Amino acid sequence: MIYRVDILLFDKFETLDVFGPVEILGTVPDIFKLNFVSVNGGIVESSQNVRVDTNLYTNEKSKEKIFLVPGGIGTRENIQDNNFINLIKNFSSQSKYILSICTGAALLAKTGMLNGKRATTNKRAFNWVTEQGKDVLWIKEARWVRDNNIYTSSGVSAGIDMTLGFIADLLGKEKALEISQRIEYFWNENSNYDPFSKMYE
């Protein structure tokens, strides 16, 4: 199976939210075809002033798709943009798997797609994010959470652990461990282990 990975970028996205998972998925280019997308295409700039050239989204029905939604300070502005939220809902509905990192869960929650589902997010912004989805089953103590085809992770670097967990679910744990060793990263395999959950109470 080959997947097109649509990575949604917007101004002031968090760099590691994107490029942590991109590093993981990019090690398996025969399976994951990375595709940076944005609302208008063209250059999008992260909070750390990293500039990325993006494409317009296209719905190629012949391809299985994975939709990745990062967080970052830009989520605070985009949460009020109904057109942007509707695009996220549309892209998500066309994807086999949905992955969110950090406050990207706020954008997913705003669409209503997380209603009745378990999810987590950045603990530092936990109160703000959870306000965006009152009917979501928010889990505060979790590194990442899987509910069927939707994966949500805690803050920033947790996206790396979640993506390795996604690889383990899709391709087997041995593959996830192989990738973590290749990039010299100590993978936190326990999705429930979250030492940061009580730091911002």
Side-chain angles (χ1 to χ4, degrees), residues 135-189:
D135 296 320
V136 181
L137 306 177
W138 294 108
I139 300 175
K140 187 163 189 181
E141 189 168 351
R143 187 68 171 161
W144 78 89
V145 171
R146 177 188 182 182
D147 193 313
N148 194 16
N149 69 324
I150 300 177
Y151 290 71
T152 55
S153 71
S154 187
V156 194
S157 65
I160 300 173
D161 290 327
M162 178 196 71
T163 307
L164 286 166
F166 173 70
I167 292 288
D169 291 342
L170 201 65
L171 304 177
K173 185 176 178 180
E174 286 187 6
K175 187 63 177 178
L177 288 170
E178 174 194 318
I179 293 171
S180 67
Q181 290 167 9
R182 183 187 308 178
I183 66 173
E184 298 190 7
Y185 178 77
F186 288 106
W187 175 33
N188 173 17
E189 301 175 37

Side-chain angles (χ1 to χ4, degrees), residues 1-3 25 27-33:
M1 179 68 72
I2 298 174
Y3 295 91
L25 298 169
T27 63
V28 197
D30 292 342
I31 296 178
F32 303 112
K33 306 299 182 183

Side-chain angles (χ1 to χ4, degrees), residues 37-44 53-56:
V37 299
S38 65
V39 172
N40 298 312
I43 300 295
V44 176
D53 195 10
T54 65
N55 302 310
L56 291 171

